Amino acid sequence: MTYLTLTARRRLAALLGGSLVLLTACQNAGTAAPGPAGTPPTAQQPASTPATAATAAGLTTRQRLDLLASAISTAPADTTAALPYTYLHLQTWARASNTIVRTDVRRWRKDADGSGREIIRRAPDLRGVNHHPTAEEHQELNRAAPHSLHHGIGQLHPYLPGDIPAEPRELARLLAPPELVHEPAYPRILTSGVVALATSQHLDPQHRATTLRVLAAVPDITYRGTTTDLAGRTGLTFQVVADGSTSTVVIDPATGNLLAAKEWIDGGRRHGLFSYILLLDRGRAGTDSPTSPTIAAAATHLR
Protein backbone atom coordinates (compact mmCIF):
# COMPACT_ATOMS: atom_id res chain seq x y z
CA MET A 1 0.00 0.00 0.00
CA THR A 2 1.52 3.31 -1.05
CA TYR A 3 2.36 6.24 1.15
CA LEU A 4 -0.16 8.36 -0.76
CA THR A 5 -2.86 5.80 0.00
CA LEU A 6 -2.10 5.88 3.70
CA THR A 7 -2.03 9.69 3.66
CA ALA A 8 -5.46 9.86 2.03
CA ARG A 9 -6.88 7.37 4.53
CA ARG A 10 -5.43 9.37 7.42
CA ARG A 11 -7.01 12.53 5.97
CA LEU A 12 -10.45 10.87 6.02
CA ALA A 13 -9.83 9.45 9.48
CA ALA A 14 -8.90 12.93 10.69
CA LEU A 15 -12.14 14.30 9.26
CA LEU A 16 -14.17 11.61 11.02
CA GLY A 17 -12.20 11.69 14.22
CA GLY A 18 -11.45 15.36 14.80
CA SER A 19 -14.34 15.66 17.19
CA LEU A 20 -13.22 12.49 18.98
CA VAL A 21 -9.95 14.10 19.98
CA LEU A 22 -11.75 17.13 21.37
CA LEU A 23 -14.20 14.94 23.23
CA THR A 24 -11.44 12.84 24.76
CA ALA A 25 -9.75 15.99 25.98
CA CYS A 26 -13.04 17.21 27.42
CA GLN A 27 -13.70 13.91 29.19
CA ASN A 28 -10.22 13.62 30.50
CA ALA A 29 -10.33 17.09 31.87
CA GLY A 30 -40.36 7.28 -1.51
CA THR A 31 -43.61 7.25 -2.34
CA ALA A 32 -45.90 9.96 -3.82
CA ALA A 33 -48.81 11.22 -1.70
CA PRO A 34 -52.12 9.49 -2.57
CA GLY A 35 -54.76 11.45 -4.48
CA PRO A 36 -58.40 11.83 -3.55
CA ALA A 37 -60.38 8.65 -3.02
CA GLY A 38 -61.45 7.05 -6.28
CA THR A 39 -58.99 9.08 -8.36
CA PRO A 40 -56.86 6.86 -10.61
CA PRO A 41 -53.08 7.33 -10.38
CA THR A 42 -51.59 9.85 -12.76
CA ALA A 43 -49.41 8.69 -15.62
CA GLN A 44 -46.25 10.06 -13.97
CA GLN A 45 -45.30 10.15 -10.29
CA PRO A 46 -42.22 12.38 -10.01
CA ALA A 47 -41.27 11.24 -6.48
CA SER A 48 -40.79 7.62 -7.65
CA THR A 49 -39.48 8.30 -11.16
CA PRO A 50 -35.74 8.67 -10.34
CA ALA A 51 -35.57 5.38 -8.44
CA THR A 52 -37.61 3.52 -11.05
CA ALA A 53 -35.55 4.84 -13.96
CA ALA A 54 -32.19 4.35 -12.26
CA THR A 55 -32.92 0.73 -11.32
CA ALA A 56 -34.14 -0.33 -14.78
CA ALA A 57 -32.40 -3.30 -16.36
CA GLY A 58 -29.71 -2.84 -18.97
CA LEU A 59 -28.27 0.47 -17.81
CA THR A 60 -24.62 1.14 -17.11
CA THR A 61 -23.66 2.47 -13.70
CA ARG A 62 -22.84 5.83 -15.25
CA GLN A 63 -26.28 6.01 -16.84
CA ARG A 64 -27.93 5.26 -13.50
CA LEU A 65 -26.03 8.01 -11.68
CA ASP A 66 -26.64 10.49 -14.52
CA LEU A 67 -30.38 9.72 -14.32
CA LEU A 68 -30.36 10.40 -10.58
CA ALA A 69 -28.43 13.64 -11.12
CA SER A 70 -30.89 14.88 -13.74
CA ALA A 71 -34.00 14.20 -11.62
CA ILE A 72 -33.01 15.44 -8.16
CA SER A 73 -35.89 16.83 -6.10
CA THR A 74 -35.55 19.66 -3.63
CA ALA A 75 -35.44 19.10 0.12
CA PRO A 76 -36.65 21.45 2.90
CA ALA A 77 -33.13 22.65 3.65
CA ASP A 78 -32.70 23.80 0.06
CA THR A 79 -34.98 26.78 0.77
CA THR A 80 -33.04 28.00 3.81
CA ALA A 81 -29.79 29.23 2.25
CA ALA A 82 -29.99 32.57 4.07
CA LEU A 83 -29.68 30.97 7.53
CA PRO A 84 -26.16 31.39 8.95
CA TYR A 85 -25.39 27.87 10.25
CA THR A 86 -24.75 24.61 8.43
CA TYR A 87 -26.31 21.79 10.45
CA LEU A 88 -25.24 18.14 10.17
CA HIS A 89 -26.07 15.07 12.23
CA LEU A 90 -23.68 12.15 11.69
CA GLN A 91 -22.97 8.80 13.26
CA THR A 92 -19.53 7.34 12.55
CA TRP A 93 -17.72 4.08 13.12
CA ALA A 94 -14.01 4.81 12.61
CA ARG A 95 -10.94 2.60 12.93
CA ALA A 96 -8.39 3.71 15.51
CA SER A 97 -5.49 1.26 15.68
CA ASN A 98 -7.17 -2.06 16.65
CA THR A 99 -10.48 -0.61 17.82
CA ILE A 100 -13.64 0.85 16.33
CA VAL A 101 -14.64 4.24 17.76
CA ARG A 102 -18.39 4.92 17.63
CA THR A 103 -19.58 8.52 17.69
CA ASP A 104 -22.76 10.53 17.19
CA VAL A 105 -22.15 14.19 16.25
CA ARG A 106 -24.62 17.02 15.80
CA ARG A 107 -22.69 19.99 14.39
CA TRP A 108 -23.63 23.63 13.86
CA ARG A 109 -21.01 25.58 11.88
CA LYS A 110 -21.38 29.32 11.35
CA ASP A 111 -20.33 29.70 7.74
CA ALA A 112 -19.22 33.33 8.06
CA ASP A 113 -16.43 32.71 10.57
CA GLY A 114 -16.00 28.95 11.16
CA SER A 115 -17.22 29.03 14.76
CA GLY A 116 -19.92 26.72 16.07
CA ARG A 117 -21.00 23.99 18.38
CA GLU A 118 -21.03 20.20 18.53
CA ILE A 119 -23.09 17.84 20.67
CA ILE A 120 -21.27 14.52 20.81
CA ARG A 121 -22.34 11.11 22.07
CA ARG A 122 -19.99 8.15 22.41
CA ALA A 123 -20.70 4.45 22.68
CA PRO A 124 -17.96 2.24 24.16
CA ASP A 125 -15.14 1.46 21.75
CA LEU A 126 -15.09 -2.02 20.21
CA ARG A 127 -11.91 -4.09 20.19
CA GLY A 128 -10.96 -5.53 16.83
CA VAL A 129 -11.79 -4.19 13.38
CA ASN A 130 -13.59 -7.13 11.76
CA HIS A 131 -16.89 -5.49 12.60
CA HIS A 132 -20.14 -4.73 10.79
CA PRO A 133 -22.18 -1.88 12.37
CA THR A 134 -25.75 -2.76 13.31
CA ALA A 135 -29.08 -1.00 13.72
CA GLU A 136 -28.87 -1.76 17.45
CA GLU A 137 -25.62 0.22 17.65
CA HIS A 138 -27.32 3.10 15.86
CA GLN A 139 -29.92 3.13 18.64
CA GLU A 140 -27.23 2.74 21.32
CA LEU A 141 -25.56 5.92 20.06
CA ASN A 142 -28.90 7.74 20.21
CA ARG A 143 -29.15 6.85 23.92
CA ALA A 144 -25.58 7.74 24.92
CA ALA A 145 -24.92 10.70 27.20
CA PRO A 146 -24.31 13.97 25.29
CA HIS A 147 -21.31 16.28 25.67
CA SER A 148 -21.36 19.82 24.29
CA LEU A 149 -18.32 21.47 22.71
CA HIS A 150 -18.09 25.11 21.63
CA HIS A 151 -15.69 26.10 18.86
CA GLY A 152 -14.18 29.54 18.39
CA ILE A 153 -13.72 31.48 15.18
CA GLY A 154 -11.93 29.45 12.54
CA GLN A 155 -12.05 26.14 14.40
CA LEU A 156 -14.68 24.42 12.21
CA HIS A 157 -13.71 24.20 8.56
CA PRO A 158 -15.71 23.10 5.52
CA TYR A 159 -14.11 20.30 3.52
CA LEU A 160 -13.68 22.61 0.52
CA PRO A 161 -13.17 26.35 1.05
CA GLY A 162 -14.93 28.74 -1.29
CA ASP A 163 -17.59 27.94 -3.84
CA ILE A 164 -18.22 24.34 -4.87
CA PRO A 165 -17.67 23.99 -8.63
CA ALA A 166 -20.68 23.14 -10.79
CA GLU A 167 -18.56 21.34 -13.38
CA PRO A 168 -17.93 17.68 -12.41
CA ARG A 169 -14.36 17.51 -13.71
CA GLU A 170 -13.40 20.66 -11.86
CA LEU A 171 -14.90 19.32 -8.63
CA ALA A 172 -13.15 15.98 -9.12
CA ARG A 173 -9.79 17.79 -9.37
CA LEU A 174 -10.43 19.34 -5.96
CA LEU A 175 -11.51 16.07 -4.35
CA ALA A 176 -8.65 13.90 -5.63
CA PRO A 177 -5.24 14.99 -6.96
CA PRO A 178 -5.40 14.70 -10.78
CA GLU A 179 -1.78 13.51 -10.88
CA LEU A 180 -2.98 10.29 -9.22
CA VAL A 181 -5.58 9.53 -11.88
CA HIS A 182 -3.67 6.47 -13.13
CA GLU A 183 -2.80 5.17 -9.65
CA PRO A 184 -4.66 2.15 -8.21
CA ALA A 185 -5.78 4.26 -5.24
CA TYR A 186 -7.44 6.98 -7.34
CA PRO A 187 -10.99 5.52 -7.49
CA ARG A 188 -11.04 5.08 -3.72
CA ILE A 189 -9.59 8.53 -3.02
CA LEU A 190 -12.12 10.22 -5.31
CA THR A 191 -15.02 8.31 -3.72
CA SER A 192 -13.75 9.24 -0.25
CA GLY A 193 -13.59 12.87 -1.35
CA VAL A 194 -17.24 12.84 -2.40
CA VAL A 195 -18.20 11.31 0.97
CA ALA A 196 -16.11 13.83 2.91
CA LEU A 197 -17.70 16.74 1.04
CA ALA A 198 -21.25 15.47 1.66
CA THR A 199 -20.57 14.92 5.35
CA SER A 200 -18.97 18.34 5.91
CA GLN A 201 -21.11 20.82 4.00
CA HIS A 202 -24.71 21.40 3.01
CA LEU A 203 -25.11 20.65 -0.70
CA ASP A 204 -27.93 22.25 -2.65
CA PRO A 205 -29.60 20.35 -5.55
CA GLN A 206 -27.04 21.57 -8.10
CA HIS A 207 -24.15 20.53 -5.86
CA ARG A 208 -25.73 17.13 -5.27
CA ALA A 209 -26.17 16.63 -9.00
CA THR A 210 -22.51 17.52 -9.56
CA THR A 211 -21.29 15.05 -6.93
CA LEU A 212 -23.38 12.29 -8.49
CA ARG A 213 -21.79 13.02 -11.85
CA VAL A 214 -18.36 12.89 -10.19
CA LEU A 215 -19.27 9.46 -8.82
CA ALA A 216 -20.46 8.44 -12.29
CA ALA A 217 -16.94 9.09 -13.61
CA VAL A 218 -15.15 7.07 -10.88
CA PRO A 219 -13.28 4.25 -12.66
CA ASP A 220 -14.92 0.83 -12.29
CA ILE A 221 -17.76 1.99 -10.02
CA THR A 222 -20.62 -0.55 -10.02
CA TYR A 223 -24.30 -0.51 -9.14
CA ARG A 224 -25.22 -3.02 -6.41
CA GLY A 225 -28.99 -2.60 -6.20
CA THR A 226 -31.11 -1.19 -3.39
CA THR A 227 -30.37 -1.52 0.31
CA THR A 228 -31.63 -0.35 3.68
CA ASP A 229 -29.20 1.52 5.91
CA LEU A 230 -28.93 1.29 9.71
CA ALA A 231 -31.58 3.99 10.14
CA GLY A 232 -34.08 2.02 8.03
CA ARG A 233 -33.87 4.22 4.91
CA THR A 234 -33.81 2.70 1.44
CA GLY A 235 -31.29 3.90 -1.10
CA LEU A 236 -29.38 2.88 -4.20
CA THR A 237 -25.98 1.29 -3.58
CA PHE A 238 -22.83 1.97 -5.57
CA GLN A 239 -19.48 0.30 -4.94
CA VAL A 240 -15.82 0.84 -5.78
CA VAL A 241 -13.22 -1.91 -5.33
CA ALA A 242 -9.72 -0.44 -5.52
CA ASP A 243 -6.37 -0.39 -3.77
CA GLY A 244 -7.18 -3.26 -1.42
CA SER A 245 -10.50 -1.89 -0.16
CA THR A 246 -14.20 -1.77 -1.01
CA SER A 247 -15.98 1.58 -0.76
CA THR A 248 -19.79 1.62 -0.72
CA VAL A 249 -22.12 4.61 -0.90
CA VAL A 250 -25.91 4.64 -0.46
CA ILE A 251 -27.80 7.42 -2.26
CA ASP A 252 -31.34 8.66 -1.71
CA PRO A 253 -32.88 8.29 -5.19
CA ALA A 254 -35.23 11.26 -4.83
CA THR A 255 -32.99 14.00 -3.40
CA GLY A 256 -29.54 12.67 -4.38
CA ASN A 257 -28.44 12.99 -0.75
CA LEU A 258 -25.80 10.64 0.63
CA LEU A 259 -27.41 8.41 3.26
CA ALA A 260 -24.50 6.18 4.27
CA ALA A 261 -20.93 5.30 3.27
CA LYS A 262 -18.65 2.45 4.18
CA GLU A 263 -15.04 1.53 3.52
CA TRP A 264 -13.89 -2.02 4.17
CA ILE A 265 -10.21 -3.01 3.91
CA ASP A 266 -10.14 -6.33 2.08
CA GLY A 267 -6.65 -7.71 2.48
CA GLY A 268 -3.63 -7.96 4.76
CA ARG A 269 -3.42 -8.66 8.46
CA ARG A 270 -5.63 -5.69 9.32
CA HIS A 271 -8.59 -6.44 7.06
CA GLY A 272 -11.93 -5.23 8.32
CA LEU A 273 -13.89 -2.01 8.78
CA PHE A 274 -12.10 1.26 8.10
CA SER A 275 -15.07 3.60 8.38
CA TYR A 276 -18.85 3.68 8.29
CA ILE A 277 -20.78 6.96 8.17
CA LEU A 278 -24.50 7.42 8.65
CA LEU A 279 -25.72 10.87 7.59
CA LEU A 280 -28.95 11.34 9.51
CA ASP A 281 -29.90 15.03 9.16
CA ARG A 282 -28.59 17.97 7.21
CA GLY A 283 -29.78 21.51 6.71
CA ARG A 284 -29.44 25.11 7.77
CA ALA A 285 -30.16 26.74 11.13
CA GLY A 286 -30.59 30.23 12.53
CA THR A 287 -28.72 29.50 15.78
CA ASP A 288 -26.51 26.79 17.27
CA SER A 289 -29.15 25.80 19.82
CA PRO A 290 -30.61 22.27 19.59
CA THR A 291 -33.92 23.63 20.90
CA SER A 292 -34.17 26.36 18.26
CA PRO A 293 -37.35 26.06 16.17
CA THR A 294 -35.29 26.77 13.08
CA ILE A 295 -33.65 23.37 13.46
CA ALA A 296 -36.92 21.56 12.97
CA ALA A 297 -37.89 23.89 10.14
CA ALA A 298 -34.55 23.95 8.34
CA ALA A 299 -33.13 20.47 8.66
CA THR A 300 -33.82 17.87 6.02
CA HIS A 301 -34.94 14.96 8.16
CA LEU A 302 -33.61 11.91 6.36
CA ARG A 303 -34.69 9.35 8.91
Side-chain angles (χ1 to χ4, degrees):
M1 190 172 294
T2 65
Y3 172 79
L4 286 171
T5 299
L6 291 173
T7 300
R9 281 213 172 104
R10 287 167 183 156
R11 183 185 183 192
L12 178 59
L15 176 71
L16 297 176
S19 297
L20 306 185
V21 174
L22 291 171
L23 176 60
T24 302
C26 179
Q27 290 174 326
N28 289 344
T31 55
T39 303
T42 58
Q44 294 192 12
Q45 299 178 6
S48 62
T49 295
T52 303
T55 58
L59 298 177
T60 66
T61 300
R62 182 163 195 153
Q63 288 172 328
R64 298 181 196 280
L65 284 161
D66 284 339
L67 277 170
L68 291 179
S70 65
I72 282 176
S73 64
T74 58
D78 296 329
T79 65
T80 58
L83 296 177
Y85 287 86
T86 293
Y87 173 70
L88 292 167
H89 181 189
L90 310 169
Q91 288 184 347
T92 65
W93 286 250
R95 178 184 295 213
S97 186
N98 196 42
T99 61
I100 298 297
V101 179
R102 301 177 295 169
T103 313
D104 179 290
V105 180
R106 296 175 67 191
R107 178 181 300 125
W108 293 260
R109 182 181 65 241
K110 192 172 185 179
D111 297 331
D113 63 11
S115 64
R117 181 185 186 188
E118 291 181 305
I119 295 178
I120 300 176
R121 302 173 189 267
R122 284 279 302 273
D125 297 348
L126 300 174
R127 292 193 60 79
V129 294
N130 190 12
H131 178 73
H132 295 276
T134 67
E136 289 75 17
E137 292 177 53
H138 161 57
Q139 295 299 334
E140 183 181 1
L141 279 167
N142 288 338
R143 296 188 297 266
H147 299 268
S148 183
L149 293 173
H150 291 271
H151 299 275
I153 293 174
Q155 292 183 344
L156 289 177
H157 302 282
Y159 189 71
L160 291 181
D163 295 333
I164 298 173
E167 207 285 317
R169 275 184 282 191
E170 185 179 350
L171 178 58
R173 284 195 291 269
L174 295 178
L175 296 177
E179 60 269 23
L180 300 183
V181 68
H182 299 299
E183 295 292 329
Y186 181 78
R188 181 190 54 73
I189 295 172
L190 183 53
T191 304
S192 295
V194 169
V195 171
L197 178 64
T199 54
S200 170
Q201 299 174 232
H202 173 68
L203 304 179
D204 65 23
Q206 179 180 333
H207 297 149
R208 299 197 296 271
T210 303
T211 59
L212 290 176
R213 291 189 171 102
V214 170
L215 280 177
V218 173
D220 301 320
I221 190 169
T222 59
Y223 171 63
R224 308 296 291 179
T226 60
T227 192
T228 302
D229 69 13
L230 301 188
R233 305 166 300 179
T234 300
L236 306 189
T237 305
F238 298 90
Q239 197 168 83
V240 175
V241 179
D243 193 39
S245 71
T246 299
S247 301
T248 305
V249 295
V250 180
I251 305 294
D252 183 315
T255 64
N257 277 316
L258 177 74
L259 299 179
K262 178 181 180 181
E263 184 179 351
W264 185 272
I265 297 178
D266 298 314
R269 295 184 299 107
R270 303 287 303 282
H271 71 276
L273 184 68
F274 180 71
S275 67
Y276 183 95
I277 308 172
L278 200 59
L279 181 47
L280 294 168
D281 287 339
R282 72 175 81 208
R284 311 285 301 183
T287 74
D288 62 359
S289 170
T291 59
S292 170
T294 58
I295 293 297
T300 301
H301 295 290
L302 303 177
R303 280 180 288 195

